[in-house]
């Protein structure tokens, strides 16, 4: 299996090389040259597998340049920190079932992909005989998932910028309690956008980037997208009975279109998915696109800080991979669409609106702060389950699209303990924390404070980067 760019300007590359790149050299995103497919017989055979075994099968279709035994070792190690089931399913009535993606070390779904990424990036670097210094900015979830997945690795170090004093106590503890030598937390005197601008400046300096072996593990990374495909297969296998060819639907709390894109891959691979329901919060650029056909990214200033913060996006980085399929994998047309976006600030697929549902099965909806609170409350009253604000956005929109006779699976993307303030506001309940979490919250913290100063960051990286 080889990977090509959505913009047509990259010679086909194998999996292990592709996942070390951010954007393709032509500015596009890597996609499989041909989407692998899975037939009914294979799917039935997969019912008996454990999660890591299933991950080996599914990822094996994408990473054909990795020997099976190596892949099996990596998936076993990646999902070892999880409970035995890895992704548990639980019903909350009304025909809705939660798919538990937040059982990993940082209590959010990003662990599902990052844990595998940590294994496979180290492996790819070893094969190449090189090292990677990851430079990123985080407002909370991504940074901690990356650090917990990459801590202690020999060929990778992490430089993670966060806005000083603007993360929750829980998020700070999750990142700053790590004492591994290869993890560098940097609290910048500024807001998240200042952190992101610093990253962009350094990553845009190609000489510096090359000299310091800088890279990223953001949501467009191919290893993340492919690792997320696995749990769509897993959830389908758990929610259906042997022998049937049952269609079911998934609702996905969405930000950068990463998670739901993996569901779209699974559907294209032949998994019987009826609808992929996109749930957005108030920052609903994607809901707007799937309802009207017009995509109009917003500026940072137009992006609201909401109570489901991990979905607060202004533009959806992974959407380009969907548009590539929408234009029939025609790279020239895709480039024209992105040129339109650059010149007019929007693009328009109004004429293709019917295809979104008929051909791709994608529908969408929006949830607001009040919806979130109301949904947390109603699920708690009906079932005693406490769901986090992002999952609540999913449940709210899932209810609008549930169809009788079609099971609706809602992806649970975080644990409520990460967002205790909103839970308190919704149901006035104090959450339980495990001994392990309490220990983390009380552990000594280690962080480097820095002014919003490009030169200071350059010097810090030069002094600490792996070579
Ligand atoms: C990142 C994140 C999302 C959004 O996922 P995308 O892949 O960006 O669409 C939703 N919920 C939580 C808790 C997250 O951390």
């Amino acid at each position: 299996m080889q990977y090509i760019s959505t913009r047509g300007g990259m010679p086909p590359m194998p999996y292990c090389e592709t996942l070390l790149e951010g954007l393709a050299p032509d500015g596009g995103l890597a996609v499989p040259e041909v989407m692998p497919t899975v037939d009914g017989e294979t799917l039935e055979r997969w019912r008996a597998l454990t999660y890591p075994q299933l991950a080996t099968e599914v990822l094996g279709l994408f990473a054909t340049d990795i020997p099976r035994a190596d892949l099996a070792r990596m998936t076993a190690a990646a999902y070892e920190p999880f409970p035995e089931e890895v992704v548990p399913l639980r019903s909350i009535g009304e025909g809705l079932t939660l798919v538990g993606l937040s059982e990993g070390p940082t209590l959010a779904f990003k662990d599902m992909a990052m844990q595998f990424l940590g294994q496979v990036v180290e492996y790819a670097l070893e094969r190449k005989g090189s090292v990677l210094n990851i430079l990123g900015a985080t407002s909370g979830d991504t940074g901690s998932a990356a650090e917990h997945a990459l801590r202690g690795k020999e060929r990778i170090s992490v430089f993670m910028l966060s806005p000083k004093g603007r993360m929750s106590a829980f998020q700070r503890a999750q990142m700053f309690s790590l004492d591994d030598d290869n993890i560098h937390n940097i609290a910048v005197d500024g807001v998240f956008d200042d952190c992101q601008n610093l990253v962009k400046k350094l990553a845009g300096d190609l000489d510096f980037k090359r000299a310091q072996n800088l890279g990223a593990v953001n949501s467009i990374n191919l290893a993340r997208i492919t690792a997320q495909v696995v749990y769509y297969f897993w959830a389908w296998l758990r929610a259906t009975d042997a022998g049937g060819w049952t269609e079911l639907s998934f609702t996905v709390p969405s930000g950068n279109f990463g998670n739901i894109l993996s569901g779209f891959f699974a559907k294209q691979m032949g998994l019987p998915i009826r609808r992929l329901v996109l749930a957005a919060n108030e920052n609903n650029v994607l809901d707007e696109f799937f309802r009207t056909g017009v995509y109009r990214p917003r500026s940072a200033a137009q992006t609201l800080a909401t109570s489901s913060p991990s979905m607060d996006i202004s533009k959806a980085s992974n959407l380009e991979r969907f548009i590539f399929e929408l234009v029939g994998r025609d790279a020239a047309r895709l480039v024209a669409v992105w040129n339109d976006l650059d010149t007019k600030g929007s693009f328009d697929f109004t004429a293709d609106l019917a295809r979104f549902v008929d051909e791709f099965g994608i529908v969408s909806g929006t949830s607001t702060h009040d919806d979130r609170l109301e949904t947390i409350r109603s699920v708690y009253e009906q079932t005693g389950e406490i769901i986090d604000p992002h999952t609540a956005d999913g449940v709210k929109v899932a209810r609008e699209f549930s169809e009788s006779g079609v099971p609706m699976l809602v992806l649970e993307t975080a644990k409520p303990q990460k967002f205790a303030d909103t839970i308190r506001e919704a149901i006035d309940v104090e959450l339980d924390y495990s001994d392990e979490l309490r220990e983390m919250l009380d552990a000594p913290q280690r962080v480097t404070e820095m002014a919003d100063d490009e030169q200071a960051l350059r010097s810090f990286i030069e002094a600490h980067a792996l070579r």
Side-chain angles (χ1 to χ4, degrees), residues 232-296:
Y232 286 90
F233 279 88
W234 173 264
W236 187 91
L237 290 167
R238 298 287 83 76
T240 58
D241 294 322
W245 192 244
T246 322
E247 274 201 329
L248 42 72
S249 297
F250 285 90
T251 299
V252 190
S254 293
N256 269 319
F257 203 71
N259 197 348
I260 195 168
L261 177 76
S262 300
F264 175 64
F265 274 27
K267 184 169 164 62
Q268 282 187 305
M269 291 165 76
L271 189 68
I273 296 176
R274 177 169 159 73
R275 294 275 181 265
L276 285 165
V277 182
L278 182 148
N281 68 13
E282 292 89 332
N283 297 295
N284 56 356
V285 267
L286 283 174
D287 179 32
E288 203 172 278
F289 174 62
F290 284 102
R291 273 187 300 102
T292 68
V294 177
Y295 179 60
R296 201 187 305 278

Side-chain angles (χ1 to χ4, degrees), residues 108-110 141 253-259 310-311 390 413-414:
F109 100 95
K110 294 196 172 62
D141 282 351
S254 293
N256 269 319
F257 203 71
N259 197 348
S310 303
M311 291 155 62
H390 306 78
T413 55

Side-chain angles (χ1 to χ4, degrees), residues 386-439:
I386 302 178
I387 57 173
D388 101 289
H390 306 78
T391 309
D393 288 333
V395 170
K396 188 268 181 180
V397 177
R399 283 172 171 163
E400 291 165 7
F401 286 100
S402 63
E403 300 168 285
S404 78
V406 185
M408 175 66 86
L409 306 189
V410 182
L411 302 190
E412 180 185 47
T413 55
K415 289 281 186 203
Q417 280 80 359
K418 292 194 91 162
F419 305 96
D421 290 348
T422 304
I423 302 302
R424 219 172 280 127
E425 188 180 347
I427 53 176
D428 198 20
V429 164
E430 288 305 322
L431 293 160
D432 288 334
Y433 288 82
S434 65
D435 291 347
E436 214 177 327
L437 285 180
R438 285 199 188 285
E439 224 167 87

